[in-house]
Amino acid sequence: MEHIVIIGNGISGVTLARHIRKLSDKKITIISSESDYFFSRTALMYVYMGHMKFEHIQPYENNFWKKNRIELVNGYVEKVLPDQKTVSLSNGSKIAYDTLVIATGSKPNKFGWPGQDLEGVQGLYSKQDLDKLEQNAPNNKICKRAVIVGGGLIGIEMAEMLRSRDIPVTFLVRESSFWNGVLPNGESEMINEHIREHHIDLLLDTNLKEILSDENGRAKAVVTDKGETIACDVVGLTAGVTPNIDFLKNSGIELGKGIKVNRMLQTNIEDIYAIGDCAEQHEAIGLRRPIEAVWYTGRMMGETLAQTLCGNPTEYNPGHWFNSAKFLDIEYQTYGWVFSERNKKEYEEHFHWRHPKEKLCITIAFHKDTHEFLGINNFGIRLRHELFDRWLNEKRSVEYVLEHLKDANFDPELYETYEEAIVSKFNQDFHQNIRPKKKSWKRILNLA
Ligand SMILES: Cc1cc2nc3c(=O)[nH]c(=O)nc-3n(C[C@H](O)[C@H](O)[C@H](O)COP(=O)(O)OP(=O)(O)OC[C@H]3O[C@@H](n4cnc5c(N)ncnc54)[C@H](O)[C@@H]3O)c2cc1C
């Protein structure tokens, strides 16, 4: 019987294993060094914040794996030996495979900062990082201040976590405004305000220069490139992630920043594949990045590869870009492409609306000549994913989207709605006379 060995028990590896089991009787082994059982990495923050226990973020009962004949090995793969079709583990054991899938995820970036390996300096990625944070920052007596370095999604999560225990936080962000390499200016500025409202000391345009040590080898302060010294007990390094692939050097598997794969998610070695955060497409798919460190694409890659490995060769086709996140209290969703000013395409025009008082806003991108709708970012207002997917497929105009915006609203009944104000601002900005149509369930369900 074919033996499929998967390295990594994150969302990518586990989705693959589950789908192979649905489709076949093949022997499946998952090797991972982080935890015995799969857990939801995106929910780690809620464990620290006391909303959940670690067991609650494990989506499957512990007997699920045995019941489904998925063998779990807790171990670290030190080497892949393609000639021998085996992997060797740090405990000296070897496991033979017929097909190998690498799903080893990412690791937090470190840029060689002096002091980056001191006690009290840590990333936020793994279960071990969560345990470390619990030790380093159990309360504001032991951790009197934390400094977080790097203004992305993980940085703001870490800030929220620490603030939930009333720990003062300084947030060093290299950019001139929070996440403005991704978000258009209006949105990024709104998030700056929101961060400060949460009493987080946001320092923009500021880089980490070095971390200072006390006499016991623990971090005691950071020095910024502005010459400021900030006393602290914990330093969170959240300046992005890179594929976790160091153990593959000299294995013969082609590597770039990640593990190079084709659209079948296959490496340069026929029976070795890579999925999830660690996989790098030879050529980017559409406007996507060659490496996408997001949850749902890992799941999609797992589902796709299971088809291929079970006799139905299938190309990875992620469809239209979408994503969602939370910035403290503000929910964010994005469908299609809305680029920041820094990365805006020459054909891309933006319409931006922001509520005069509340932290609500949207930005719609459209083609400035054809008016084709390209994408939407929405903050604090929930919009229907499947409708935007449809409108993108149908290449609808921005005017059509605004006229039908009430159909897209996904907020619970009786929530205040903002479509009239949004459309009125669009009419003003672009000298139009669009009248929003009443919400129609027939249209939403595509029955009209
Ligand atoms: C705090 C945090 C919050 C996030 N929030 C979001 C979010 O809201 N939305 C979103 O889309 N994405 C989010 N992400 C990103 C998302 O979690 C990742 O994209 C996703 O978990 C990647 O899944 P994966 O299966 O590719 O890899 P991983 O989840 O990283 O799993 C890989 C596993 O392989 C193990 N491993 C690595 N090397 C070896 C080896 N040599 N031997 C044995 N085992 C090994 C690792 O220890 C790990 O357990 C977040 C990430 C973090 C850290």
Side-chain angles (χ1 to χ4, degrees):
M1 191 193 296
E2 182 186 351
H3 185 196
I4 299 183
V5 171
I6 302 167
I7 314 176
N9 70 349
I11 182 67
S12 318
V14 157
T15 305
L16 171 70
R18 287 199 305 108
H19 283 259
I20 294 174
R21 179 52 72 239
K22 277 188 198 172
L23 297 166
S24 79
D25 247 357
K26 293 176 199 288
K27 182 173 175 197
I28 306 169
T29 302
I30 306 182
I31 310 168
S32 191
S33 53
E34 183 179 7
S35 57
D36 288 341
Y37 302 108
F38 168 59
F39 67 90
S40 172
R41 197 172 299 289
T42 55
L44 272 179
M45 67 184 295
Y46 300 110
V47 177
Y48 180 87
M49 289 168 71
H51 302 184
M52 289 174 170
K53 290 205 166 125
F54 186 77
E55 305 83 84
H56 300 151
I57 66 169
Q58 293 180 168
Y60 303 99
E61 300 283 338
N62 292 352
N63 66 3
F64 171 90
W65 309 99
K66 197 160 182 202
K67 224 164 71 190
N68 286 284
R69 288 165 293 121
I70 297 172
E71 193 180 334
L72 304 180
V73 175
N74 190 332
Y76 181 76
V77 176
E78 261 180 355
K79 271 204 176 92
V80 174
L81 306 159
D83 292 343
Q84 298 167 29
K85 298 190 73 148
T86 54
V87 297
S88 66
L89 274 61
S90 56
N91 65 6
S93 63
K94 289 192 172 180
I95 298 176
Y97 63 81
D98 297 302
T99 300
L100 178 69
V101 182
I102 305 166
T104 50
S106 304
K107 58 177 187 186
N109 284 333
K110 284 185 173 182
F111 292 110
W113 292 293
Q116 66 181 19
D117 295 318
L118 291 169
E119 287 294 311
V121 182
Q122 66 162 102
L124 175 66
Y125 191 87
S126 60
K127 177 177 188 304
Q128 287 71 22
D129 291 335
L130 180 76
D131 297 341
K132 241 193 235 173
L133 193 65
E134 192 59 63
Q135 267 178 17
N136 285 331
N139 55 50
N140 59 13
K141 304 246 167 4
I142 290 176
C143 177
K144 295 189 181 60
R145 175 166 294 274
V147 174
I148 296 173
V149 181
L153 295 175
I154 298 180
I156 199 165
E157 275 193 8
M158 200 173 188
E160 182 175 1
M161 290 160 77
L162 293 160
R163 290 302 300 132
S164 76
R165 297 196 186 180
D166 261 338
I167 294 173
V169 172
T170 301
F171 198 4
L172 305 191
V173 172
R174 181 181 58 169
E175 291 77 23
S176 58
S177 182
F178 179 79
W179 220 36
N180 68 355
V182 178
L183 301 179
N185 289 339
E187 302 172 351
S188 164
E189 280 156 20
M190 187 177 86
I191 303 300
N192 291 342
E193 290 167 25
H194 190 58
I195 291 172
R196 289 184 169 129
E197 279 168 359
H198 277 256
H199 308 287
I200 294 164
D201 184 19
L202 175 65
L203 300 184
L204 298 171
D205 267 327
T206 307
N207 285 286
L208 173 66
K209 205 166 142 220
E210 72 172 302
I211 305 166
L212 305 180
S213 172
D214 69 7
E215 59 282 6
N216 301 316
R218 274 200 77 87
K220 66 166 188 186
V222 302
V223 181
T224 72
D225 62 349
K226 301 265 167 75
E228 194 179 353
T229 301
I230 303 164
C232 60
D233 303 294
V234 170
V235 181
L237 300 180
T238 59
V241 295
T242 31
N244 196 355
I245 55 167
D246 293 346
F247 70 106
L248 296 172
K249 273 182 199 151
N250 307 320
S251 65
I253 300 169
E254 189 186 347
L255 304 177
K257 271 191 174 164
I259 302 165
K260 293 281 194 177
V261 293
N262 60 22
R263 286 291 287 270
M264 304 303 288
L265 303 166
Q266 189 178 36
T267 69
N268 59 317
I269 298 176
E270 205 187 336
D271 42 25
I272 303 184
Y273 297 80
I275 55 175
D277 278 24
C278 67
E280 177 180 1
Q281 286 288 326
H282 282 291
E283 286 184 28
I285 303 173
L287 296 177
R288 285 168 173 265
R289 293 183 178 160
I291 301 173
E292 281 182 341
V294 285
W295 183 263
Y296 80 88
T297 53
R299 197 181 55 215
M300 275 182 173
M301 287 189 221
E303 286 167 5
T304 305
L305 184 57
Q307 291 292 332
T308 299
L309 298 185
C310 296
N312 176 25
T314 306
E315 278 199 352
Y316 173 57
N317 181 10
H320 295 294
W321 169 249
F322 69 92
N323 204 4
S324 65
K326 224 172 118 260
F327 300 101
L328 301 159
D329 305 327
I330 305 176
E331 284 184 25
Y332 152 72
Q333 300 166 311
T334 182
Y335 304 124
W337 292 116
V338 182
F339 289 100
S340 66
E341 276 75 5
R342 214 197 294 167
N343 297 314
K344 209 165 158 183
K345 309 290 168 204
E346 35 71 43
Y347 53 79
E348 188 179 339
E349 177 108 56
H350 283 180
F351 160 64
H352 181 68
W353 170 86
R354 180 171 168 185
H355 191 279
K357 290 198 193 99
E358 310 208 21
K359 294 281 182 296
L360 305 168
C361 74
I362 65 160
T363 305
I364 298 183
F366 59 98
H367 194 293
K368 67 176 167 214
D369 299 326
T370 63
H371 280 210
E372 182 182 330
F373 167 69
L374 302 174
I376 185 164
N377 284 354
N378 39 299
F379 288 75
I381 302 172
R382 286 191 198 165
L383 297 175
R384 232 172 263 285
H385 178 189
E386 62 284 5
L387 215 53
F388 284 101
D389 218 43
R390 196 195 303 160
W391 290 343
L392 286 163
N393 281 335
E394 293 169 352
K395 296 185 181 303
R396 294 293 186 179
S397 67
V398 62
E399 288 82 5
Y400 179 93
V401 168
L402 283 153
E403 204 176 326
H404 296 86
L405 203 56
K406 289 188 181 179
D407 288 354
N409 191 308
F410 194 55
D411 275 330
E413 289 294 319
L414 305 178
Y415 260 48
E416 199 174 338
T417 56
Y418 305 96
E419 291 82 16
E420 298 284 342
I422 293 169
V423 173
S424 152
K425 167 93 175 3
F426 182 83
N427 285 339
Q428 219 177 21
D429 288 2
F430 295 95
H431 312 291
Q432 300 254 15
N433 191 21
I434 297 165
R435 284 161 205 273
K437 287 202 161 126
K438 261 176 68 183
K439 185 177 199 155
S440 153
W441 279 103
K442 261 190 170 174
R443 274 198 308 266
I444 295 169
L445 301 172
N446 218 2
L447 305 170

